[in-house]
Amino acid sequence: MVHSGCCTEDRFKEEKERKQGEQLRDDCCNSGSEKSQGMLALSISPNRRYLAISETVQEKPAITIYELSSIPCRKRKVLNNFDFQVQKFISMAFSPDSKYLLAQTSPPESNLVYWLWEKQKVMAIVRIDTQNNPVYQVSFSPQDNTQVCVTGNGMFKLLRFAEGTLKQTSFQRGEPQNYLAHTWVADDKIVVGTDTGKLFLFESGDQRWETSIMVKEPTNGSKSLDVIQESESLIEFPPVSSPLPSYEQMVAASSHSQMSMPQVFAIAAYSKGFACSAGPGRVLLFEKMEEKDFYRESREIRIPVDPQSNDPSQSDKQDVLCLCFSPSEETLVASTSKNQLYSITMSLTEISKGEPAHFEYLMYPLHSAPITGLATCIRKPLIATCSLDRSIRLWNYETNTLELFKEYQEEAYSISLHPSGHFIVVGFADKLRLMNLLIDDIRSFKEYSVRGCGECSFSNGGHLFAAVNGNVIHVYTTTSLENISSLKGHTGKIRSIVWNADDSKLISGGTDGAVYEWNLSTGKRETECVLKSCSYNCVTVSPDAKIIFAVGSDHTLKEIADSLILREISAFDVTYTAIVISHSGRMMFVGTSVGTIRAMKYPLPLQKEFNEYQAHAGPITKMLLTFDDQFLLTAAEDGCLFTWKVFDKDGRGIKREREVGFAEEVLVTKTDMEEKAQVMLELKTRVEELKMENEYQLRLKDMNYSEKIKELTDKFIQEMESLKTKNQVLRTEKEKQDVYHHEHIEDLLDKQSRELQDMECCNNQKLLLEYEKYQELQLKSQRMQEEYEKQLRDNDETKSQALEELTEFYEAKLQEKTTLLEEAQEDVRQQLREFEETKKQIEEDEDREIQDIKTKYEKKLRDEKESNLRLKGETGIMRKKFSSLQKEIEERTNDIETLKGEQMKLQGVIKSLEKDIQGLKREIQERDETIQDKEKRIYDLKKKNQELGKFKFVLDYKIKELKKQIEPRENEIRVMKEQIQEMEAELENFHKQNTQLELNITELWQKLRATDQEMRRERQKERDLEALVKRFKTDLHNCVAYIQEPRLLKEKVRGLFEKYVQRADMVEIAGLNTDLQQEYTRQREHLERNLATLKKKVVKEGELHRTDYVRIMQENVSLIKEINELRRELKFTRSQVYDLEAALKLTKKVRPQEVSETEPSRDMLSTAPTARLNEQEETGRIIEMQRLEIQRLRDQIQEQEQVTGFHTLAGVRLPSLSNSEVDLEVKTN
């Protein structure tokens, strides 16, 4: 796996060190906690904001919660101080609102912890299992924070958080199963999977549905997955006779038997149902049935066969351990037992009908075993890795992608990449192979009989490479591929080799504690340093080749020069496993056995001064720097490859020593090039053919479009002329309506003048009446003020008395509570004494009873099994008694705690009552002040409310009438607009259909013309042949005349032969005839295929047109019905409007005119609705005029009120406007 870690920036204290120190940085993700020994469990919150990670830090468990919304991610909380025993957390889950965290500890504690994580508060803790059975998964209900589910070996428990504890709400029935995974499909429904391939649906803890999955493995290698059993009710199955097998036993058993039960390791729910793992390389999708609350298998998804693998059949035999849907449910991601990540888009599963869908790699295939070899080159941004999973992979560290990947039969222990990036040397278990890196393959071209090569390395110049064979180093040349020297001297296994800068020397270190420097020109050792107490893991050399650095098992970093150890720097309780120095000689990086990386400055400091970064979950095996010192590469036993960006202390990137662009050349074989050239030629010919076809089709389309444009222009001209005529007709109608409106307005003005005179008379009378009422109300208000003053005085006296009584009452209560507290304390003391005495008596009684039981047991040991059973029952009874006594003790302690709590509560009540008394006194004062203000405010508001109520009633009535007049017109306009839009859409559809049909007709006409031309050509050929035959007959007839003269006959026949037939022509004609026949057959087949496809298209388009026509007809019918209904409604509304106008007696003058007309014309009928609408507008104008008159009268009233000594009284009710409006209507009539 390629990972990237982000390291925190540690600052050196001194300014000198700040300039010299170096750092690692990456922008992708956060590393684990400092000194972390590995991550055990992950959980992401439902709102996608928080991520919880279970870690082991310095052999202590911890839960770290990161905030994902911040960039970069930051630690929000760290839970590491626990009041309970815990070894590690194996499963976690966030609540639906992301406020609570559920965590399950490992056996033997097996505690389930319920956290309010933001406050680091444990809300509840409960022990799930007492038999050390493993717990696999815990989860919250998707809608309820208090409901929890736990599954494990032989356990399925539903718990609810209530009153500070987690209580079990359901108890398992039937035979216990090994429940491996579960998921919530609804608020109270859970699907659970077992290790025997069974799926259960539980609703509120009761089993509702069950199914079993069986993987069939026929001898031919193909597999079929069938659901073999379903039950819709509770079914009890016979218990399993043999114990449950482990994962390895299941794999071994499946190779011997053709039938094996799949293990359901993972289940994930989505909107339609759920997905579950169903054996090796399989995932099943279950969907909910519409009729019932059960599920059926809908689709199957498989892990595809890997063509790059040496055994492709093994790629789909990996178990799916985890499943996860994206928030939009568009993709499903799966992780497997071989550390691979796969994904699939859910839309692809719906497309594949009947056949199983296949996963794809999420990014690229990853290593599934420890990485043993790591190499990089100069001319390309490539990283080469080899692993115990028998694979070689080439990565690009600039694009973070996998370039090449190939698996082999043997394990690979070491790898080296040529500086040019075109070759690699790999040490396999059986041989050492030199390989070419092609554009899409890794191909071997030389093998050496070096078994189990643990280290190999190309020289810096690339002309040599060294390979380790046990304790011997073989040096080969890359030009002649021969062994030029063998370096012998080590007594133990060589663990590391490194070249100096000019490739003149080779440094090696091994398990024998020796570090040798070899001169390649002589093949002898130049310097040596042997320390048998240390087993070296890795060596490196400074850029000037003067100092050798070595790390090993003695927890130190050694600096060696001239066969002497100059310095030993302590590793501080860790083992260094890898070391590398930069090409610039300014920095050094060291890998440890706990997976951390230490960045040091060079020269090495005397004190503990380095930056340490958490990286891998296992010992680091290999470490390299790229040629330009930009990236640090690390590989470890956890199968991960990390790329680190190197920065200095100020955050600047390391400058390259020399700017050399990366090469883009690749190796390609001649056969591959020829194949690709042939494919290119075929594709070019195909492109030319397609161009010709497209040009022909474009010409046809241009012709069709030109004809259509002509037709459309003609149509538009006709429509324009028709619109012009309509416009003229509408203008004449408009002039007529204008004349009618002018006459109508004059009539209305006369009406208005009369109504205004009537209104003035009525309003003068009303004003006189209102003035008299106003004086009466003023007298009433004075009396009311006097009464209110008396009531206020009485209220003040009653309040003072009530306060005195309340103080006396509460003081008496306080005395009673103090006495009760003293009595309760005495009772508690008495109960404690009694409890101690009863405890002593119970202990003495238990000791006596135990002695009696022992004597009885010794006497009756020789009796039969019945006496043993009876004694066991007695001991069980005693245990129950003991447990009941313990419960009583606990209850007593709880009672004491509750009494203490009540005492504290009572003291709090006393304090709160004192505060209440003071608050009441303040409130009485404040209320006295506010009462006066509120009374004034009430007096003003009453006036305003009365006036506003009257205005509101009048305005509401007028608004309703106006809305009734406006709404019918708006509805008609809306309906007509919708009809116009629908008709335009139908016109567009008809135009499209006509154009398509015209295109089809033109194509058929062109085909017919082509066939006619072919017929003409054939007929011309036939005429030419007939003329040739006639000529031949005449010449032959002339030859017959010389039948008596053989010599002349022979010459004539020869002339005929030379004239009509020649041998070369016959041969060519025969060959041409065969070629023509073949070409003719090919063209005929091509045309027949095209004809068949065209026929199919015509049939499909005909069906589509037929369905469109039926749909359009149905829509037209429905639209016609709607139009008829709307017309009826319109008629009905018009009649209602007419009736209302008649009721208001506003159309009284119009009706006599209509009655007097003896024979009304059709034009009058058509203009009647418009006349009614004009009358409605006129009534609206009348109402507006009345509103203005009312406003004028109100202004006059306000002016009179502003006069000194003239005020309105509260409580005066003006006469309702309804009566006045009725009077107005009578007068207007």
Side-chain angles (χ1 to χ4, degrees):
M1 289 185 283
V2 175
H3 287 271
S4 298
C6 182
C7 303
T8 56
E9 235 178 290
D10 298 328
R11 298 289 181 189
F12 289 118
K13 293 180 181 179
E14 297 180 6
E15 194 67 23
K16 294 178 183 178
E17 294 174 343
R18 187 176 297 171
K19 293 179 182 177
Q20 296 174 351
E22 300 295 338
Q23 272 199 322
L24 305 176
R25 185 182 295 170
D26 191 51
D27 299 329
C28 293
C29 60
N30 282 347
S31 63
S33 301
E34 189 176 353
K35 297 182 181 179
S36 174
Q37 298 173 1
M39 298 178 186
L40 303 171
L42 299 171
S43 179
I44 193 165
S45 62
N47 59 8
R48 308 284 171 178
R49 287 187 61 189
Y50 306 108
L51 174 69
I53 300 173
S54 169
E55 299 177 283
T56 304
V57 182
Q58 294 182 341
E59 298 183 356
K60 291 182 180 179
I63 295 174
T64 309
I65 298 168
Y66 291 90
E67 188 171 356
L68 302 177
S69 57
S70 62
I71 299 174
C73 303
R74 64 181 181 87
K75 288 183 182 179
R76 182 70 180 267
K77 290 287 179 184
V78 179
L79 309 176
N80 53 10
N81 295 321
F82 309 116
D83 298 332
F84 49 88
Q85 291 185 351
V86 57
Q87 292 182 358
K88 57 186 179 181
F89 294 98
I90 56 175
S91 181
M92 296 182 297
F94 277 98
S95 62
D97 58 0
S98 305
K99 291 182 179 179
Y100 300 95
L101 181 68
L102 197 66
Q104 177 64 46
T105 66
S106 62
E109 294 88 7
S110 297
N111 289 324
L112 182 65
V113 189
Y114 191 93
W115 257 303
L116 181 63
W117 62 269
E118 286 188 345
K119 296 183 179 179
Q120 298 186 1
K121 181 181 179 182
V122 177
M123 305 296 290
I125 185 170
V126 65
R127 188 169 184 180
I128 292 297
D129 186 58
T130 57
Q131 300 177 357
N132 292 337
N133 288 326
V135 179
Y136 298 122
Q137 188 181 354
V138 297
S139 67
F140 276 99
S141 170
Q143 301 294 332
D144 190 357
N145 286 345
T146 61
Q147 197 165 3
V148 174
C149 180
V150 182
T151 54
N153 189 359
M155 70 178 75
F156 169 75
K157 294 184 178 181
L158 287 174
L159 299 97
R160 186 173 288 279
F161 176 73
E163 298 177 358
T165 58
L166 283 167
K167 297 178 182 179
Q168 188 171 350
T169 58
S170 68
F171 295 91
Q172 191 174 351
R173 299 173 186 174
E175 189 70 22
Q177 303 278 340
N178 187 5
Y179 299 107
L180 299 177
H182 72 266
T183 187
W184 295 78
V185 293
D187 296 345
D188 55 351
K189 293 180 182 179
I190 308 170
V191 174
V192 187
T194 69
D195 62 343
T196 57
K198 291 183 179 179
L199 292 171
F200 298 96
L201 177 66
F202 292 95
E203 184 176 359
S204 301
D206 298 328
Q207 185 180 329
R208 300 295 183 195
W209 174 77
E210 176 184 347
T211 185
S212 296
I213 304 166
M214 180 68 72
V215 176
K216 295 183 180 179
E217 295 186 358
T219 54
N220 59 1
S222 64
K223 297 181 182 178
S224 62
L225 198 67
D226 300 317
V227 176
I228 62 166
Q229 187 176 2
E230 282 198 10
S231 61
E232 296 181 359
S233 60
L234 295 173
I235 299 173
E236 293 185 0
F237 287 86
V240 181
S241 58
S242 61
L244 294 170
S246 63
Y247 176 73
E248 291 80 5
Q249 291 172 349
M250 288 290 290
V251 173
S254 65
S255 62
H256 295 294
S257 63
Q258 291 184 352
M259 301 287 287
S260 63
M261 299 299 290
Q263 294 184 346
V264 183
F265 288 108
I267 306 176
Y270 68 114
S271 58
K272 293 182 180 179
F274 64 91
C276 69
S277 62
R282 300 285 196 288
V283 172
L284 283 181
L285 295 179
F286 284 84
E287 291 185 358
K288 189 175 181 181
M289 294 195 298
E290 295 179 357
E291 297 85 5
K292 302 175 183 177
D293 291 335
F294 305 123
Y295 295 84
R296 61 176 178 82
E297 180 194 346
S298 60
R299 285 172 188 83
E300 179 184 357
I301 309 171
R302 296 183 183 178
I303 292 173
V305 175
D306 192 351
Q308 299 292 334
S309 176
N310 60 344
D311 188 4
S313 63
Q314 293 295 321
S315 60
D316 61 344
K317 290 184 179 178
Q318 45 190 333
D319 284 309
V320 177
L321 301 182
C322 185
L323 292 169
C324 182
F325 284 96
S326 64
S328 61
E329 297 182 356
E330 290 180 359
T331 56
L332 172 65
V333 179
S335 66
T336 67
S337 56
K338 290 187 179 179
N339 298 337
Q340 303 297 325
L341 289 172
Y342 293 94
S343 70
I344 189 170
T345 55
M346 295 302 290
S347 59
L348 290 176
T349 60
E350 295 175 359
I351 293 167
S352 60
K353 294 180 179 178
E355 297 180 359
H358 288 87
F359 282 104
E360 293 178 352
Y361 283 109
L362 183 63
M363 294 181 292
Y364 28 72
L366 310 171
H367 281 298
S368 60
I371 297 172
T372 54
L374 178 68
T376 185
C377 63
I378 299 170
R379 294 289 292 127
K380 291 186 179 183
L382 294 179
I383 307 167
T385 58
C386 63
S387 172
L388 295 179
D389 60 3
R390 303 176 181 177
S391 70
I392 296 171
R393 298 167 200 264
L394 265 81
W395 315 85
N396 190 319
Y397 60 78
E398 279 201 336
T399 59
N400 289 331
T401 55
L402 181 66
E403 297 277 338
L404 280 175
F405 155 59
K406 196 169 184 180
E407 287 190 4
Y408 295 88
Q409 296 287 341
E410 300 294 333
E411 293 177 347
Y413 297 125
S414 61
I415 192 168
S416 183
L417 194 58
H418 193 270
S420 65
H422 293 313
F423 314 103
I424 56 168
V425 61
V426 185
F428 288 97
D430 57 347
K431 287 182 181 179
L432 178 71
R433 291 183 175 88
L434 191 62
M435 301 181 177
N436 282 326
L437 297 178
L438 303 180
I439 190 168
D440 55 358
D441 193 13
I442 303 171
R443 201 168 292 174
S444 176
F445 66 93
K446 181 66 177 175
E447 294 183 351
Y448 300 96
S449 58
V450 178
R451 296 176 64 85
C453 177
E455 286 291 325
C456 62
S457 176
F458 275 103
S459 63
N460 295 317
H463 61 290
L464 301 173
F465 68 90
V468 174
N469 187 5
N471 56 3
V472 180
I473 303 171
H474 298 288
V475 181
Y476 300 89
T477 176
T478 56
T479 54
S480 61
L481 307 176
E482 293 178 353
N483 186 359
I484 58 172
S485 65
S486 296
L487 308 178
K488 299 179 181 178
H490 281 279
T491 58
K493 189 177 180 181
I494 298 170
R495 298 288 295 276
S496 179
I497 57 174
V498 64
W499 298 83
N500 67 343
D502 59 357
D503 297 333
S504 62
K505 296 176 184 178
L506 186 71
I507 296 93
S508 63
T511 57
D512 55 355
V515 176
Y516 295 145
E517 186 177 1
W518 305 87
N519 191 331
L520 294 178
S521 59
T522 61
K524 295 181 181 179
R525 285 179 287 187
E526 282 197 352
T527 62
E528 60 182 27
C529 179
V530 181
L531 184 66
K532 293 186 178 180
S533 61
C534 177
S535 175
Y536 289 109
N537 296 322
C538 186
V539 294
T540 189
V541 64
S542 62
D544 56 2
K546 291 181 180 179
I547 300 172
I548 300 167
F549 301 94
V551 293
S553 60
D554 59 349
H555 306 291
T556 59
L557 166 62
K558 295 178 178 60
E559 195 173 347
I560 302 167
D562 298 328
S563 304
L564 296 173
I565 298 172
L566 300 179
R567 270 197 303 171
E568 288 188 2
I569 299 165
S570 175
F572 303 101
D573 299 330
V574 296
T575 303
Y576 288 147
T577 57
I579 186 169
V580 65
I581 190 167
S582 66
H583 297 90
S584 62
R586 293 170 53 202
M587 53 189 171
M588 184 180 290
F589 301 99
V590 186
T592 67
S593 58
V594 295
T596 58
I597 299 168
R598 292 179 178 178
M600 306 176 181
K601 64 179 182 179
Y602 184 76
L604 295 172
L606 297 173
Q607 299 175 355
K608 183 182 178 181
E609 294 176 358
F610 52 80
N611 296 334
E612 189 167 6
Y613 306 101
Q614 186 66 43
H616 296 273
I620 293 173
T621 54
K622 296 291 177 184
M623 183 182 288
L624 282 177
L625 272 165
T626 56
F627 180 71
D628 53 4
D629 290 340
Q630 290 284 317
F631 297 96
L632 175 70
L633 314 173
T634 60
E637 290 183 3
D638 59 359
C640 296
L641 169 65
F642 277 60
T643 60
W644 304 80
K645 183 76 175 174
V646 182
F647 285 87
D648 62 8
K649 276 293 172 184
D650 297 326
R652 296 190 299 269
I654 305 301
K655 293 182 180 178
R656 298 187 179 185
E657 292 177 358
R658 50 180 175 175
E659 291 289 336
V660 180
F662 290 121
E664 295 182 357
E665 295 81 9
V666 292
L667 296 179
V668 182
T669 60
K670 189 177 180 181
T671 55
D672 291 341
M673 285 295 292
E674 288 173 354
E675 287 175 1
K676 286 179 180 177
Q678 185 66 29
V679 172
M680 287 286 286
L681 286 171
E682 290 175 359
L683 290 170
K684 281 180 181 178
T685 55
R686 179 64 180 158
V687 167
E688 288 175 359
E689 289 175 1
L690 289 169
K691 279 182 181 177
M692 293 290 287
E693 289 180 3
N694 287 328
E695 287 174 359
Y696 178 67
Q697 288 177 359
L698 284 168
R699 286 172 190 167
L700 291 174
K701 285 179 181 178
D702 290 336
M703 292 168 67
N704 291 326
Y705 287 139
S706 61
E707 291 175 359
K708 285 176 187 174
I709 287 162
K710 288 178 182 178
E711 291 176 358
L712 287 168
T713 50
D714 295 335
K715 286 180 182 178
F716 281 124
I717 289 163
Q718 292 174 1
E719 287 176 359
M720 287 287 287
E721 290 175 354
S722 62
L723 288 168
K724 283 179 181 177
T725 55
K726 285 181 182 177
N727 195 5
Q728 291 176 358
V729 172
L730 289 168
R731 280 178 183 174
T732 53
E733 288 180 357
K734 186 185 175 185
E735 290 173 357
K736 289 179 182 178
Q737 286 180 0
D738 289 337
V739 172
Y740 176 76
H741 284 308
H742 284 301
E743 293 175 355
H744 194 66
I745 286 163
E746 289 174 357
D747 295 335
L748 289 170
L749 287 169
D750 293 334
K751 282 183 184 179
Q752 188 181 4
S753 60
R754 292 170 191 167
E755 287 172 358
L756 277 170
Q757 291 174 2
D758 297 334
M759 286 284 288
E760 285 176 359
C761 296
C762 291
N763 286 323
N764 290 327
Q765 291 176 1
K766 285 179 183 178
L767 281 169
L768 293 169
L769 292 169
E770 291 294 330
Y771 181 70
E772 291 174 357
K773 287 181 182 178
Y774 173 72
Q775 288 179 349
E776 291 175 0
L777 289 168
Q778 194 171 8
L779 294 170
K780 285 182 182 178
S781 66
Q782 289 175 0
R783 293 171 190 168
M784 289 289 286
Q785 281 178 357
E786 292 173 358
E787 290 176 359
Y788 281 132
E789 286 174 358
K790 290 178 183 178
Q791 287 178 2
L792 283 170
R793 290 168 191 164
D794 297 335
N795 284 330
D796 291 334
E797 293 174 358
T798 52
K799 281 176 186 176
S800 59
Q801 290 176 1
L803 272 172
E804 290 174 359
E805 290 174 358
L806 281 168
T807 50
E808 291 174 359
F809 177 71
Y810 281 119
E811 284 175 358
K813 271 192 175 181
L814 280 170
Q815 289 176 0
E816 289 176 2
K817 293 288 182 183
T818 50
T819 53
L820 286 168
L821 275 170
E822 289 173 357
E823 290 174 359
Q825 286 175 356
E826 288 177 0
D827 291 336
V828 168
R829 289 170 192 161
Q830 187 67 29
Q831 285 176 1
L832 284 169
R833 289 170 194 161
E834 292 175 358
F835 170 69
E836 288 174 358
E837 289 176 0
T838 51
K839 189 177 177 183
K840 288 177 184 178
Q841 290 176 3
I842 288 161
E843 286 175 354
E844 290 173 359
D845 293 337
E846 283 178 353
D847 292 335
R848 289 171 191 167
E849 286 176 359
I850 288 161
Q851 288 177 0
D852 295 336
I853 289 161
K854 281 181 180 178
T855 53
K856 288 177 184 178
Y857 183 70
E858 287 172 358
K859 288 176 184 179
K860 295 178 180 180
L861 258 174
R862 298 170 186 173
D863 296 341
E864 294 176 351
K865 291 181 180 180
E866 294 177 359
S867 61
N868 286 331
L869 292 168
R870 183 171 54 77
L871 287 169
K872 284 178 182 178
E874 289 177 359
T875 53
I877 291 161
M878 292 304 295
R879 283 175 185 168
K880 287 179 182 177
K881 287 180 180 179
F882 185 71
S883 63
S884 64
L885 289 168
Q886 281 183 341
K887 287 179 182 177
E888 288 179 2
I889 292 161
E890 289 175 357
E891 288 175 358
R892 294 284 184 186
T893 53
N894 290 328
D895 292 337
I896 291 160
E897 289 176 357
T898 52
L899 289 168
K900 286 180 180 178
E902 287 179 359
Q903 185 179 356
M904 294 295 288
K905 287 178 182 176
L906 290 168
Q907 289 177 356
V909 169
I910 291 160
K911 291 177 182 177
S912 64
L913 288 169
E914 289 175 354
K915 290 178 182 178
D916 291 339
I917 289 162
Q918 292 176 358
L920 288 166
K921 287 178 181 178
R922 291 173 190 166
E923 284 179 3
I924 288 160
Q925 291 175 358
E926 290 173 358
R927 284 180 183 177
D928 290 336
E929 292 172 358
T930 54
I931 283 163
Q932 294 175 359
D933 297 332
K934 284 181 179 179
E935 283 178 351
K936 292 177 182 178
R937 183 67 179 161
I938 287 160
Y939 181 72
D940 296 332
L941 289 170
K942 279 180 181 178
K943 291 179 184 177
K944 290 181 181 178
N945 282 332
Q946 287 174 359
E947 292 176 358
L948 291 169
K950 293 170 186 177
F951 298 153
K952 185 183 175 184
F953 180 77
V954 176
L955 292 170
D956 286 339
Y957 182 74
K958 291 176 181 177
I959 288 160
K960 286 176 185 177
E961 286 184 347
L962 290 169
K963 281 182 179 178
K964 286 177 183 177
Q965 293 172 5
I966 292 162
E967 283 177 0
R969 274 294 171 189
E970 288 179 349
N971 291 330
E972 287 177 5
I973 291 160
R974 197 182 298 113
V975 169
M976 294 302 288
K977 283 181 180 177
E978 288 174 358
Q979 288 177 0
I980 289 160
Q981 289 174 359
E982 289 172 358
M983 295 297 286
E984 286 175 353
E986 287 177 6
L987 274 171
E988 288 177 0
N989 290 326
F990 282 126
H991 285 312
K992 288 177 183 177
Q993 290 173 6
N994 290 330
T995 53
Q996 189 64 34
L997 290 169
E998 286 170 0
L999 281 171
N1000 293 333
I1001 290 160
T1002 51
E1003 287 177 1
L1004 291 169
W1005 272 110
Q1006 287 170 359
K1007 288 177 184 177
L1008 199 141
R1009 285 169 193 157
T1011 52
D1012 287 338
Q1013 288 175 1
E1014 286 179 3
M1015 282 178 69
R1016 286 170 193 158
R1017 289 193 205 102
E1018 292 295 328
R1019 285 173 183 170
Q1020 187 63 38
K1021 285 180 184 178
E1022 190 179 353
R1023 290 193 204 102
D1024 294 339
L1025 288 169
E1026 285 175 357
L1028 187 68
V1029 169
K1030 282 179 183 178
R1031 274 189 265 120
F1032 181 73
K1033 282 180 180 179
T1034 53
D1035 291 338
L1036 187 65
H1037 185 67
N1038 293 330
C1039 286
V1040 171
Y1042 300 100
I1043 198 160
Q1044 298 298 328
E1045 296 176 4
R1047 188 176 57 79
L1048 292 170
L1049 181 64
K1050 188 177 181 181
E1051 288 176 0
K1052 293 289 183 182
V1053 170
R1054 190 176 292 159
L1056 281 173
F1057 182 76
E1058 288 173 357
K1059 185 178 180 181
Y1060 292 103
V1061 181
Q1062 289 181 2
R1063 289 184 180 178
D1065 292 338
M1066 288 179 71
V1067 174
E1068 288 176 3
I1069 287 159
L1072 286 168
N1073 286 335
T1074 55
D1075 293 336
L1076 286 167
Q1077 189 68 27
Q1078 289 176 358
E1079 184 66 22
Y1080 174 72
T1081 53
R1082 191 175 67 79
Q1083 290 286 341
R1084 186 176 177 180
E1085 289 174 357
H1086 177 68
L1087 290 168
E1088 285 175 353
R1089 284 194 216 100
N1090 288 337
L1091 188 67
T1093 54
L1094 287 167
K1095 283 180 180 178
K1096 289 179 182 176
K1097 284 182 182 177
V1098 168
V1099 171
K1100 286 181 181 176
E1101 287 175 357
E1103 289 176 356
L1104 288 170
H1105 289 311
R1106 197 178 295 111
T1107 53
D1108 290 338
Y1109 179 72
V1110 171
R1111 182 177 58 76
I1112 289 161
M1113 288 297 290
Q1114 289 175 354
E1115 288 176 357
N1116 286 334
V1117 171
S1118 61
L1119 287 169
I1120 288 162
K1121 288 180 180 177
E1122 287 179 5
I1123 288 162
N1124 291 329
E1125 288 175 359
L1126 289 167
R1127 282 173 179 168
R1128 292 191 200 98
E1129 288 178 3
L1130 198 141
K1131 287 179 182 178
F1132 181 69
T1133 51
R1134 282 176 179 171
S1135 62
Q1136 282 185 341
V1137 168
Y1138 184 78
D1139 294 337
L1140 288 167
E1141 288 173 355
L1144 293 167
K1145 296 180 181 179
L1146 292 171
T1147 58
K1148 193 172 181 183
K1149 291 183 179 180
V1150 180
R1151 270 195 180 176
Q1153 293 174 3
E1154 291 175 356
V1155 172
S1156 63
E1157 291 175 359
T1158 55
E1159 292 181 355
S1161 63
R1162 292 185 180 179
D1163 295 332
M1164 288 300 289
L1165 288 170
S1166 62
T1167 56
T1170 56
R1172 288 174 187 168
L1173 288 170
N1174 293 326
E1175 288 170 2
Q1176 288 175 1
E1177 290 175 0
E1178 205 57 32
T1179 52
R1181 289 174 189 169
I1182 291 162
I1183 290 161
E1184 189 67 26
M1185 294 294 290
Q1186 289 175 356
R1187 194 180 292 163
L1188 292 168
E1189 184 63 21
I1190 290 161
Q1191 186 67 36
R1192 188 178 62 76
L1193 293 168
R1194 283 177 185 160
D1195 295 334
Q1196 288 179 2
I1197 291 162
Q1198 286 178 359
E1199 286 174 2
Q1200 289 178 2
E1201 285 176 354
Q1202 288 174 1
V1203 179
T1204 55
F1206 189 83
H1207 299 288
T1208 57
L1209 292 172
V1212 176
R1213 292 185 61 84
L1214 295 169
S1216 62
L1217 285 172
S1218 60
N1219 297 326
S1220 63
E1221 284 175 2
V1222 170
D1223 295 334
L1224 282 169
E1225 287 174 1
V1226 171
K1227 288 178 182 179
T1228 53
N1229 292 329

